[in-house]
Amino acid sequence: MSAPSVLFVCVHNAGRSQMAAGFLTALAGDRIEVRSAGSAPAEQVNPAAVAAMAEVGIDISTENPKILTTEAVQASDVVITMGCGDTCPVFPGKSYRDWVLDDPAGQGLEAVRSIRDEIEAKVEALIAELTAPSSPR
């Protein structure tokens, strides 16, 4: 049985989705395939997001924001949106979830830490769900 795949989507693919992808990669290893993208990608990953993740031992400094493609959605089992609204294409048979999270853009490190911790808790719950023996993928 192949590993489930998750796509994290936010507007700029510079903060929330990058932190979520970093946590999922670090915590799930090869048990879950991880992608992230944005509907209007930024030039670089948010430096506050990079700093907040470094504090918990996860390096996302080499990541680059990527454009959301139809192919990325089609290749994913679970699509998690974070404030991208209706720009994410919808395909039958995919599991869609919307995580309501504050946008770290323009926020200081203290605020980004809080967002990071909320994302970590959501990712841990997602891993438990997707790796459960009777996981409904």
Side-chain angles (χ1 to χ4, degrees):
M1 184 145 177
S2 65
S5 58
V6 175
L7 171 63
F8 294 105
V9 182
C10 66
V11 175
H12 300 299
N13 189 220
R16 294 167 289 192
S17 57
Q18 291 285 356
M19 289 191 287
F23 274 123
L24 188 55
T25 299
L27 299 174
D30 60 2
R31 295 180 295 161
I32 300 173
E33 187 180 350
V34 183
R35 296 180 181 86
S36 71
S39 52
E43 292 290 316
Q44 66 181 26
V45 175
N46 180 332
V50 171
M53 293 299 285
E55 290 179 347
V56 295
I58 299 173
D59 182 6
I60 61 168
S61 65
T62 60
E63 297 299 323
N64 292 303
K66 295 168 278 306
I67 186 73
L68 176 64
T69 64
T70 300
E71 293 77 24
V73 177
Q74 287 177 313
S76 302
D77 298 310
V78 178
V79 179
I80 297 174
T81 58
M82 304 171 181
C84 70
D86 296 331
T87 60
C88 192
V90 176
F91 294 98
K94 304 295 175 192
S95 175
Y96 291 88
R97 294 118 191 251
D98 186 47
W99 288 359
V100 179
L101 298 159
D102 289 337
D103 188 346
Q107 304 274 351
L109 186 55
E110 192 64 37
V112 175
R113 283 184 185 122
S114 170
I115 298 165
R116 173 202 66 202
D117 294 346
E118 192 175 352
I119 290 170
E120 181 179 21
K122 288 179 177 292
V123 167
E124 287 174 345
L126 179 69
I127 292 168
E129 175 192 339
L130 294 180
T131 60
S134 60
S135 175
R137 291 189 288 144

